[in-house]
Amino acid sequence: MMEAENFGLHPNSIMRKKIVAGNWKLNNNIEESRALAKEVAALVKAEVSADVQMVVCPVSVNLSTVAAEIDGVENLALGAQNVYPKASGAYTGEVSAPLLKAAGVGYVLIGHSERREYFNESNEFLAEKVKAALAEGLVPVFCCGETLEQRESGVHFDFVKSQLTESLYDLSEADFKKVVIAYEPIWAIGTGVTASSDQAQEMHKVLRDHVASKYGQEVADSTSILYGGSCKPSNAKELFGKPDVDGGLIGGASLKARDFVDIALSY
Ligand code: PEP
């Protein structure tokens, strides 16, 4: 069981929500999703401090199944992996924010690098998705991050800041405060290569300062910024030990309940 006092290790982030979200991606059929959700729910209930918000993001057709399994576990919420900006209409194959809300979804990933790369999602389009999610009371988990080339050529800070500027800075302060940011260096996603805790901290601080320059220090200090990219039980403690890292967006390791919960226990 985690101790509330552990949060004393993060003096700058005491007012920020700690979040550990699992992105199941295109994995798990209905029965596998049910079994994983059941196992995660039992472990979260038994072991994870109420101060840590856990989220699981299954494939959309399995949302309702997972919702039923995690029902009643206070700090375990349902997340979607995507949302379409329009509420309804002739948009074959898409899922809207009102439908996600009705299925019990509380969080939604927006702008994951795989959506940006394989589905050509632009910052402008992602801005529309963020607004649609907020209009339904869903928490957008806005993903951002640079390629290895961008990092090696030294444009990574400006590039990631521009992702925030172009997709989020149209929001009112009240709306921005509801957004969670997930910094996911593309070179670390699914590669087994994790950003060092210093690299993560450095980017998170740059992003927090960038938020402060637009919305003020108080808003920046209350914004949760998660790290994502090959995060696992063996490296989570070091990453989460950094003052500007407020949790994680976990891909591969979230497919094993024990690993996913062990990551949350790393605080
Ligand atoms: C992700 O896809 O958001 C992710 C962080 O994946 P992984 O943990 O597998 O690198």
Side-chain angles (χ1 to χ4, degrees):
M1 188 76 159
M2 282 190 304
E3 307 272 338
E5 301 88 75
N6 285 353
F7 292 98
L9 293 172
H10 306 277
N12 297 336
S13 57
I14 274 166
M15 71 284 274
R16 292 198 283 275
K17 204 173 203 179
K18 304 284 179 191
I19 302 169
V20 177
N23 174 11
W24 294 359
K25 309 194 187 193
L26 184 48
N27 292 300
N28 293 333
N29 63 26
I30 192 164
E31 282 315 323
E32 289 161 345
S33 296
R34 194 194 313 276
L36 179 57
K38 194 183 176 100
E39 209 184 334
V40 169
L43 289 173
V44 170
K45 202 169 177 178
E47 301 179 16
V48 179
S49 158
D51 297 326
V52 180
Q53 176 66 58
M54 308 288 290
V55 184
V56 283
C57 306
V59 174
S60 61
V61 288
N62 294 330
L63 283 166
S64 300
T65 300
V66 171
E69 290 301 329
I70 67 173
D71 189 35
V73 184
E74 281 286 296
N75 55 333
L76 178 56
L78 186 63
Q81 298 176 16
N82 188 25
V83 62
Y84 194 66
K86 306 287 184 196
S88 63
Y91 303 104
T92 303
E94 294 297 336
V95 179
S96 69
L99 295 185
L100 293 177
K101 180 83 180 172
V105 167
Y107 290 73
V108 57
L109 306 183
I110 293 178
H112 191 281
S113 63
E114 289 151 17
R115 302 282 328 161
R116 292 176 188 263
E117 183 181 352
Y118 306 135
F119 303 94
N120 295 316
E121 295 191 353
S122 66
N123 287 334
E124 196 182 8
F125 184 48
L126 298 174
E128 287 181 50
K129 292 185 173 206
V130 169
K131 285 182 188 147
L134 288 167
E136 280 305 312
L138 303 177
V139 176
V141 178
F142 181 77
C143 306
C144 55
E146 82 285 358
T147 62
L148 189 56
E149 284 98 341
Q150 287 165 331
R151 177 164 282 266
E152 286 176 347
S153 60
V155 299
H156 50 304
F157 295 129
D158 284 345
F159 178 77
V160 182
K161 285 196 283 184
S162 75
Q163 290 181 314
L164 264 56
T165 306
E166 290 174 26
S167 296
L168 301 177
Y169 283 12
D170 227 17
L171 297 175
S172 67
E173 180 181 318
D175 273 345
F176 184 86
K177 282 162 86 171
K178 297 171 190 155
V179 174
V180 170
I181 293 169
Y183 167 59
E184 300 202 296
I186 296 170
W187 46 273
I189 297 180
T191 59
V193 178
T194 318
S196 71
S197 56
D198 286 342
Q199 285 173 317
Q201 167 59 24
E202 188 181 32
M203 179 63 86
H204 284 221
K205 175 80 168 77
V206 164
L207 296 182
R208 198 176 304 289
D209 290 347
H210 186 50
V211 171
S213 71
K214 168 73 179 171
Y215 291 102
Q217 195 62 50
E218 207 179 311
V219 173
D221 284 341
S222 68
T223 301
S224 294
I225 307 180
L226 317 184
Y227 169 79
S230 299
C231 184
K232 41 191 181 265
S234 59
N235 58 29
K237 196 174 184 65
E238 203 187 328
L239 287 161
F240 296 173
K242 294 293 179 184
D244 287 290
V245 178
D246 307 310
L249 178 53
I250 319 299
S254 72
L255 296 172
K256 291 201 174 118
R258 186 67 264 172
D259 284 357
F260 182 51
V261 169
D262 279 347
I263 287 171
L265 296 176
S266 299
Y267 280 118

